[in-house]
């Protein structure tokens, strides 16, 4: 490893070293607020480093890219981590989290996500993925007093461990078939002409199981609602945005190596996308817990992203990246609102908790309504532009049926998104006061809201930037 | 290579699926974790075999990574097991079903 | 496109003014009185601008105003607004209606500032729909206007408001989502053929569409618009939404939202697919005719006065669609004029039901009655608008209807003859409404409460409407003149954009 | 003289209507009444002053273009020709008298402004019908009078019955209007114009089938407004309105609009002989039907209503046999004597506080002026020799008889029978109301002078109206016919002998009918109830028939469409879909058991599916 490599790793180093530093400081200096805000600073610094520092090399040790694509996602996940931390300031104090450890884990998770998004090798892929998976094992069960948190942690842990096994086996098989871990050579190596070689395809199958698990595609999605429900809201926000987005970011790189004709893989992806949209939508209909509803909605959304992934090409990739950003802003915002409403009585999760709170907490509930509308893909929000991009990519590459399925799913999904809006604003006014939320939460929510609305109205600059990632 | 790759693959594949079967069949958390461990070791075997097949060290390096990672995972798992056991006095995996639907 | 230099973005102003006011109103939630005056001021300003444009335009053809800026370059999406005679009429209606909507909600108590803000958002959205010439932009506004309406119904509506609001939202989205796909498909086809990836309506008109695909794309567009129009049997959201919405909401729904569907047919669906449109006209006409009778028939059975008026709207739009289907100058002009007229009469009826409901807290025909004895001026206005609605000659709806009927008969005698029969149905349900509300003995709610006749603010709302009813009824030329040339161009299939316009 | 001045005639009542509608409640009563009466009065004077404008071709005046679209151009244009001029004069004159009468009649009403506004508006609309040279403008008046009639029938809206009667009138007449409307659409489609003159000129080119259908459509429209079979059920109910309204709208003017329409479009109508026959048959049938009903009525105004229907039937018959002149002649005389009768009836009601003729009686001595004027009207209605009704009815009978064919003879027979019935029920009415001793129990009112003194001029006109068109055989010169000129329809060729013979027969019928009525009703008879009487009283059960065949199916179908179609059908389908989706969601929700092993099972199944597919892929 050369100095240039290290320089290229600067943002990751900021995150990782910052994480370690906070962990150490936290042991002697347990001021939660200060620690978490420092963590925010570190994440922002990392984002700034990634954004403004052009690294001297394009690739680090054959494991990670440091090009525009990688830097983009590093910025994104660092900012997501910063937002998550901002959302956690009051939350952590309220629930008595150990500030240093919590912050350190979030930062470390962000480093893992950035690495995963940047991976140019199966080894990098594995390490990045595992880095933040391990973090989540802890973060999900971070609230020690909460039995549901422990249960969620356990479920994620066991399934995650099994998934790790599958991933490792898949990688091993691909390596067996191709003789290299490096992308895109590994992908080229497992194909012979238009067809996959059997072992390579088997390896891909294993990888798909893991990817399906990580991004919650049906039938590997079953953990999602439980884990979202049990995990602390900011963590669920990070889990639903960062971990999934990073996997997709890596997947774009993975698939880019495959030959244009992927007829062996396409039917699988097609089916995964379709049943994720259908099953996710239907399952969300009867939920009465907002976090579980958001979990199923994320299943549907990942189904949408799969459409774009299938479509491939420049427009597919662009659609994925934009969608991930839009989805991250809206989903993080939604979980953020839940976090900000959390008081001594715990998180408001069930629909009953949301009944009639709209006019008592106008800003946050209006924001939640807008986030939900964005998730539903209604203009003028980022979600609409994102969905437009996906359907556009789908139509362009001839996945009309999937597009229509997606349309139907988003139509039905309106019901459960609107239901929350209805509960908040259109029923009687409740008398219960939820937590008023701190300034950090409000600023985080404002940022998310701003992103959702601005990207809905003026998506041009971001779209141009994303287009540059793929050129 | 003294052992053909196909044999290695067959063996490690079998081992992998035995591990997975263990995960599926066992109810006790410890046993499930052991199953995962078996799966991971099968992977290690495959990697070493492939590494030999291609005459590279990449695979073996990856095995080292894998082992490190596994140990981290195991430590977290065990911590979790202890934590859960202390909370609910059971290690039955299916006993933890407070959330569903 | 080589158009005259844009002097001042009046059209953008029509959209942005309400939008800014809406945002400001939301921010200053705690100062409802301020936001009320703000809302009134802004809507009046918008009305003044539209009237100004109307006067300056003076029945000229072509694009009266036109704006075009790049917006989302990577998709070839542009911010293109254009105003011709047809949109002018509808923009005028929008601006006018919105002033009334503010005025009728003057003393609303609950979350007043937000209410006005929603009305202003609505205005911006509808203006956008009537002005957009870029399909993406159009679609954006098309859906944006649903959100404020959803809240208006859901938050400030009557008993079953939530059901109505959600039904409204999902129903209309069901249509429009498929349209989104069709828009994308059209865009891709056009891009692949010409290399010019653009959502501009004018450009997409020249797309040659594979015969296998064309019916589907056309159907997607028509479905979206038919839901909004609404064409029977896609209408069942309407009675619920109209009935449960607050008065201002009903006013906007009947006066404006339904028109967006018809406008979409005229401006987008028909010009984009002229051959398909020509082929489908008999089918659409059949639906329209069926709707005229079906809705009128059901209206007759209603107990809730607002619901009755809502069904009457469905019957009326049947006439309008029939007029479009006749595809000749007379019927088309009649259709557009009826769009305008219907906004006024049905809007007025909803306003009056709002006033009556405000006093009696009842909308049930059986519990009202005999109001004439208590509030003669109010009742006289009610009777007047009811007569206009049932198509009494000399009042506004008649002109539109007779033009439609004449044109439809010319296109197909059976259509005209059948539709003429619809006027008896119209008389049947309207007279039942009048009978149940203002005539008869004053019993029930009418007797229980102390009545005040119209107060000045209400008179201020109704008087301009009444003047317009008579104006259109007796001298429709004012409103026919601006649409004459656009209609001719539409029928001749000429590309609108080819003509130059521009106000000095 | 400037022809544009003609617009004064209809616009004066309109202006008065607007003033009364907007400000009537705030004006002093006298002023409001003065405006209303004055406007109509000045219209009458204007008509007389502008009379010199009339010429055979008609004078035209255009105000502005009402509607213009494509080929369509609808000018607000009026035409002043012999037909419209004479009709205008009749309308404004009768209106003036009735307005005056109404001032007295409505003396105790507080809501006078609404009444006079509507009455004036009616006059405007009626004049629009009469003067319009454009079918669409005519249609404006046509619907306008319909509305005024509706609003005035339901003037005493507090009683549901009255409001319902108004609604019924509007709906039934509008049913007729639809046919007129269709005719209008068709005519425009055929000729590209809606000018009456233009249409009449173009009619020669139409095919016979088209002509027949057009005639039938126009006839249906006319039937609705003129209460002819089968659209007649509204007229008896319309008597719920104030008496001046009945006199003006439902006797003298509006109900004759149908006749006027057919007369206006006679050049078109006359081209279809079958159509003409249908018109005649409808007229004769209505005449007989209404006369038979009138015989059994108890309410004074309903007797008159049925008699109106019957007399209008005569006019239709006249049109049907081509005698437009005779039709117009009867229209005018009928307007005078029927307005007179209604006003007299109004006085009778006022004096006794009763509607039921069986409870009146003895009025002859109490109110001699009312009696004598009413008797004058009754004699005209009955067709007593030398009265106006005698001449006008005789002209119709003669024209029918002179038509020659068997069909015409049958019609003539029907008409003659009707004439007999007419005499009978007229004298039944006179005897029951004026003869005998007072039987009234209701509260009697004093009769305002203005109500009384409007009667004599009409009585004189009614009695002497025959001079208007005295036949040549009687030494006259047929003034009206020659004035109408080309509008008078076909020439009637009949020998003087036939004329005298028929007149003698008519006299015979009159005497016979009078004797029968005198025998039966001179001494007050106890009311006898029989099924036949009830059948006639209820107008041959027409209302029940309409209710069973149209109204009730309509209402129940409305409810069925709403509940079954909209609610169960469309909404049911959608909600069913929703429930299905919900049920599926619930099923999937159950599948998420919360147990770790079922989640691992998901892994396993997914893996098996993946591997299975790959296997398939490689096996084949």
């Amino acid at each position: 490893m050369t100095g240039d490599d290290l320089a290229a790793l600067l943002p990751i180093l900021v995150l990782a070293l910052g994480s370690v530093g906070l962990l150490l400081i936290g042991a002697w200096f347990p001021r939660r607020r200060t620690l978490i805000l420092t963590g925010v600073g570190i994440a922002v610094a990392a984002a700034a480093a990634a954004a403004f520092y052009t690294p001297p090399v394009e690739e680090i040790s054959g494991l990670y890219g440091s090009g525009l694509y990688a830097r983009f996602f590093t910025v994104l996940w660092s900012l997501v981590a910063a937002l998550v931390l901002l959302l956690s300031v009051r939350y952590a104090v309220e629930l008595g989290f150990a500030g240093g450890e919590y912050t350190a884990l979030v930062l470390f998770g962000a480093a893992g996500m950035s690495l995963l998004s940047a991976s140019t090798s199966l080894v990098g892929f594995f390490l990045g993925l595992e880095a933040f998976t391990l973090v989540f094992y802890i973060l999900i069960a971070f609230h020690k007093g909460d039995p549901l948190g422990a249960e969620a942690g356990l479920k994620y842990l066991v399934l995650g461990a099994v998934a790790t096994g599958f991933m490792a086996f898949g990688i091993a098989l691909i390596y067996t078939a191709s003789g290299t871990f490096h992308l895109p050579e590994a992908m080229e190596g497992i194909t012979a002409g238009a067809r996959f070689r059997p072992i390579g395809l088997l390896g891909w199958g294993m990888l798909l199981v893991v990817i399906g698990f990580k991004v919650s595609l049906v039938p590997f999605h079953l953990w999602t609602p439980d884990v979202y429900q049990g995990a602390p809201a900011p963590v669920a926000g990070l889990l639903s945005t960062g971990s999934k987005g990073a996997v997709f970011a890596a997947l774009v790189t993975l698939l880019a190596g495959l030959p244009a004709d992927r007829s062996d893989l396409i039917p699988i992806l097609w089916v995964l996308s379709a049943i994720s949209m259908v099953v996710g939508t239907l399952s969300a209909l009867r939920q009465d817990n907002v976090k579980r509803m958001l979990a199923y909605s994320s299943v549907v959304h990942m189904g949408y992203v799969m459409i774009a992934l299938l479509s491939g090409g420049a427009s597919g990739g662009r659609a994925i990246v934009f969608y991930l950003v839009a989805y991250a802003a809206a989903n993080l915002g939604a979980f953020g609102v839940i976090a900000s409403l959390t008081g001594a009585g715990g998180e408001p999760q069930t629909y009953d908790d949301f009944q009639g709170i709209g006019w008592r907490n106008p800003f946050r509930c209006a924001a939640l309504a807008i986030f939900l509308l964005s998730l539903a893909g209604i203009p003028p929000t980022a979600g609409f532009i994102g969905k437009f991009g996906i359907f556009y990519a789908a139509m362009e590459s001839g996945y009309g049926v999937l597009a229509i399925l997606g349309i139907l799913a988003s139509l039905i999904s309106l019901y459960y998104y609107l239901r929350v809006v209805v509960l908040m604003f259109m029923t009687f006014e409740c008398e219960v006061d939820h937590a008023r939320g701190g300034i950090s939460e409000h600023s985080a929510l404002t940022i998310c809201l701003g992103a959702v609305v601005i990207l809905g109205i003026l998506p041009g600059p971001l779209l141009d930037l994303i287009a540059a990632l793929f050129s | 290579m003294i052992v053909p790759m196909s044999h290695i693959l067959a063996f490690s594949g079998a081992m992998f699926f035995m591990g997975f079967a263990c995960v599926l069949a066992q109810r006790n958390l410890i046993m499930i974790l052991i199953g995962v461990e078996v799966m991971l070791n099968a992977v290690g075997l495959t990697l070493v075999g492939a590494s030999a097949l291609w005459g590279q060290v990449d695979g073996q390096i990856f095995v080292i990574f894998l082992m490190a990672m596994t140990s981290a995972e195991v430590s977290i798992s065990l911590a979790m097991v202890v934590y859960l056991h202390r909370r609910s006095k059971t290690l039955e995996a299916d006993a933890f079903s407070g959330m569903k639907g | 496109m080589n158009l005259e230099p844009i002097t001042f973005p009046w059209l953008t102003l029509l959209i942005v003014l309400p939008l800014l006011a809406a945002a400001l109103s939301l921010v200053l939630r705690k100062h409802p009185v301020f936001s009320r005056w703000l809302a009134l001021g802004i809507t009046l300003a918008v009305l003044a601008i539209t009237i100004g444009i109307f006067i300056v335009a003076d029945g000229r053809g072509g694009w009266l105003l036109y704006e075009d800026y790049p917006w989302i370059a990577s998709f070839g999406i542009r911010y293109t607004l254009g105003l011709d005679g047809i949109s002018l009429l509808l923009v005028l209606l929008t601006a006018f209606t919105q002033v009334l909507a503010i005025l009728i909600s003057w003393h609303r108590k609950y979350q007043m500032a937000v209410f006005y803000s929603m009305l202003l958002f609505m205005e911006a959205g509808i203006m956008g729909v009537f002005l957009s010439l870029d399909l993406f932009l159009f679609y954006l506004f098309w859906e944006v206007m649903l959100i404020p309406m959803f809240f208006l119904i859901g938050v400030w509506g009557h008993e079953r408001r939530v059901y109505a609001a959600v039904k409204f939202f999902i129903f209309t989205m069901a249509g429009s989502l498929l349209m989104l796909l069709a828009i994308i498909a059209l865009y891709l086809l056009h891009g692949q053929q010409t290399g010019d990836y653009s959502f501009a309506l004018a450009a997409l008109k020249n797309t040659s569409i594979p015969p296998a695909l064309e019916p589907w794309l056309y159907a997607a567009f028509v479905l979206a618009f038919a839901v909004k129009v609404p064409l029977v049997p896609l209408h069942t959201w309407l009675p619920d939404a109209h009935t449960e919405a607050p008065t201002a909401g009903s006013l906007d729904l009947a006066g404006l939202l339904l028109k967006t569907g018809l406008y979409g047919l005229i401006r987008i669906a028909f010009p984009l697919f002229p051959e398909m449109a020509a082929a489908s006209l008999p089918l659409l006409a059949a639906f329209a005719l069926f709707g005229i009778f079906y809705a009128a028939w059901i209206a007759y059975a209603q107990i809730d006065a607002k619901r009755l008026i809502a069904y009457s709207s469905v019957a009326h739009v049947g006439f309008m669609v029939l007029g479009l289907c006749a595809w000749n100058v007379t019927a088309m002009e009649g259709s557009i004029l009826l769009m305008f007229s219907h906004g006024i009469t049905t809007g007025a009826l909803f306003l009056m039901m709002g006033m009556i409901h405000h006093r009696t807290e009842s909308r049930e025909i059986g519990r009202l009655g005999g109001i004439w004895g208590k509030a003669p001026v109010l009742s006289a206005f009610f009777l007047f608008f009811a007569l206009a609605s049932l198509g009494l000659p000399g009042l506004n709806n008649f002109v539109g209807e007779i033009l439609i009927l004449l044109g439809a008969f010319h296109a197909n005698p059976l259509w005209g003859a059948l539709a003429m029969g619809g006027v008896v149905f119209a008389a049947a349900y309207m007279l039942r409404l009048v009978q149940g509300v203002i005539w008869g003995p004053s019993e029930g709610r009418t007797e229980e409460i102390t009545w005040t006749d119209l107060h000045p603010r209400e008179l201020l709302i109704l008087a301009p409407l009444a003047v317009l009813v008579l104006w259109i009824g007796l001298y429709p030329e004012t409103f026919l003149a601006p649409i004459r040339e656009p209609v001719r161009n539409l029928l001749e299939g000429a590309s609108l954009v080819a003509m130059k316009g521009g106000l000095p | 003289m400037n022809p544009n001045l003609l617009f004064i005639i209809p616009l004066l009542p309109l202006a008065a209507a607007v003033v009364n509608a907007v400000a009537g409640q705030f004006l002093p009563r006298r002023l409001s009444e003065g405006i209303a009466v004055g406007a109509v009065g000045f219209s009458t004077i204007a008509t007389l002053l502008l009379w010199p404008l009339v010429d055979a071709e008609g004078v035209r005046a255009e105000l502005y273009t009402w509607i213009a679209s494509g080929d369509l151009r609808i000018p607000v244009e009026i035409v002043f020709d012999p037909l419209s001029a004479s009709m205008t004069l009749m309308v404004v004159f009768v209106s003036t008298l009735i307005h005056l009468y109404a001032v007295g009649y409505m003396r105790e009403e507080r809501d006078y402004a609404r009444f006079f506004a509507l009455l004036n508006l009616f006059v405007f609309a009626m004049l629009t019908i009469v003067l319009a040279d454009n079918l669409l403008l005519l249609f404006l008046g046509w619907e306008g009078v319909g509305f005024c009639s509706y609003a005035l029938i339901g003037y005493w809206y507090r009683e549901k019955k009255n409001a319902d009667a108004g609604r019924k009138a509007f709906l039934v007449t509008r049913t007729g209007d639809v046919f007129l409307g269709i005719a209008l659409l068709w005519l425009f489609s055929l000729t590209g114009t809606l000018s009456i003159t233009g249409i009449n000129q173009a009619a020669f080119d139409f095919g016979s089938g088209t002509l027949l259908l057009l005639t039938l459509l126009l006839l249906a429209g006319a039937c609705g407004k003129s209460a002819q079979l089968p659209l007649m059920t509204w007229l008896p109910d319309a008597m719920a309105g104030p008496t001046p309204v009945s006199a003006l709208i439902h006797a003298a003017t509006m109900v004759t609009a149908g006749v006027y329409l057919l007369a206006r479009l006679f050049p078109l109508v006359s081209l279809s002989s079958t159509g003409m026959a249908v018109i005649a048959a409808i007229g004769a049938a209505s005449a007989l039907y209404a006369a038979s009903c009138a015989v059994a009525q108890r309410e004074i105004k309903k007797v008159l209503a049925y008699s109106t229907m019957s007399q209008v039937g005569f006019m239709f018959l006249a049109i049907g046999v081509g005698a437009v002149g005779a039709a117009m002649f009867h229209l005018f005389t009928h307007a005078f004597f029927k307005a007179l009768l209604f006003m007299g009836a109004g006085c009778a009601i006022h004096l006794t506080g009763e509607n039921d003729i069986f409870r009146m009686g003895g009025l002859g001595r109490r109110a001699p002026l009312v009696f004598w004027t009413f008797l004058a009207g009754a004699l005209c209605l009955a067709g007593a020799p030398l009265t106006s009704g005698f001449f006008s009815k005789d002209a119709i009978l003669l024209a029918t008889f002179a038509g020659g064919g068997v069909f015409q003879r049958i019609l003539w027979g029907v008409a003659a029978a009707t004439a007999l019935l007419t005499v009978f029920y007229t004298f039944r009415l006179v005897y029951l109301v004026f003869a005998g001793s007072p039987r009234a129990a209701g509260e009697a009112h004093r009769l305002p002078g203005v109500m009384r003194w409007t009667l004599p001029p009409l009585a004189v006109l009614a009695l002497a109206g025959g001079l208007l068109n005295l036949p040549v055989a009687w030494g006259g010169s047929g003034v009206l016919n020659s004035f109408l000129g080309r509008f008078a329809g076909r020439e009637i060729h009949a020998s003087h002998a036939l004329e005298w013979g028929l007149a003698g027969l008519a006299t015979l019928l009159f005497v016979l009918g009078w004797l029968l009525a005198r025998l039966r009703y001179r001494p007050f008879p106890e009311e006898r109830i029989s099924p036949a009487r009830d059948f006639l009283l209820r107008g041959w059960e027409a209302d029940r028939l309409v209710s069973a065949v149209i109204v009730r199916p309509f209402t129940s179908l409305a409810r069925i469409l709403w509940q079954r179609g909209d609610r169960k059908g469309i909404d049911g389908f959608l909600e069913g879909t929703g429930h299905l989706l919900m049920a599926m969601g619930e099923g999937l929700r159950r599948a998420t058991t919360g147990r770790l092993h079922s989640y691992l099972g998901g892994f396993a199944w997914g893996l098996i599916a993946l591997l299975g597919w790959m296997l398939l892929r490689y096996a084949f």
Side-chain angles (χ1 to χ4, degrees), chain A residues 359, chain C residues 25-26 29 35 111-119 156:
Chain A
W359 300 111
Chain C
S25 185
L26 269 187
R29 213 170 60 85
S35 67
Q111 299 294 345
M112 198 159 82
V114 185
F115 185 85
Y116 294 129
S117 154
M118 288 299 143
L119 282 179
W156 291 275

Side-chain angles (χ1 to χ4, degrees), chain B residues 71-86:
Chain B
S71 59
E73 198 172 87
V74 164
S75 62
I76 293 173
S77 310
L78 289 179
M80 185 66 107
V81 165
V82 171
Y83 169 61
L84 288 172
H85 189 253
R86 206 180 289 159

Side-chain angles (χ1 to χ4, degrees), chain A residues 408-419:
Chain A
L408 290 179
S410 63
L411 183 65
I412 298 169
S413 68
L414 276 176
Y415 175 81
Y416 51 82
Y417 293 127
L418 289 184
R419 208 171 138 202

Side-chain angles (χ1 to χ4, degrees), chain D residues 493-514:
Chain D
H493 300 287
S495 64
H496 284 321
L498 181 63
E499 258 183 80
W500 284 107
L502 284 177
L505 189 69
T507 315
L508 212 66
L509 285 175
F510 172 73
V511 174
L512 181 63
W514 173 43

Side-chain angles (χ1 to χ4, degrees), chain A residues 6 45 55 95 112 118 212 243 271 285 304 332 343 373 391 409 411 422 457 466:
Chain A
L6 271 181
L95 298 184
S243 81
V271 171
L285 279 179
Y304 294 147
L332 200 58
L373 288 177
F391 292 141
L411 183 65
V422 164
I457 295 169
I466 291 172

Side-chain angles (χ1 to χ4, degrees), chain C residues 135 186 201 204-205 209 214 221 267-274:
Chain C
L135 278 189
L186 207 58
L201 183 61
L204 292 181
K205 273 182 198 159
I209 306 159
E214 193 170 4
F221 275 99
R267 167 87 352 127
I268 293 174
F270 291 167
L272 278 181
F273 307 91

Side-chain angles (χ1 to χ4, degrees), chain C residues 163 294 311 435 473-474 484, chain D residues 64 66 68-69 163 566 571 575:
Chain C
Y163 170 79
Y294 180 83
Y311 273 108
Q435 211 86 340
L474 295 174
R484 203 154 275 154
Chain D
Y64 70 98
W66 179 23
S69 165
D566 245 32
D571 274 355
E575 274 158 27

Side-chain angles (χ1 to χ4, degrees), chain D residues 132-178:
Chain D
D133 186 38
N134 190 295
L135 269 183
L136 204 64
L137 194 62
L138 184 144
F139 195 70
L140 181 139
W142 192 262
E143 294 263 290
V145 293
F147 158 66
C148 294
S149 149
Y150 157 77
L152 284 167
I153 294 170
Y155 175 74
W156 287 306
Y157 58 87
R158 282 195 176 78
E159 280 197 41
K160 195 170 171 302
K161 178 174 78 70
N162 298 344
D164 284 348
R167 174 158 68 141
K168 183 174 172 187
F170 196 94
L171 287 180
V172 176
T173 52
R174 204 161 211 225
T175 311
D177 296 354
V178 166

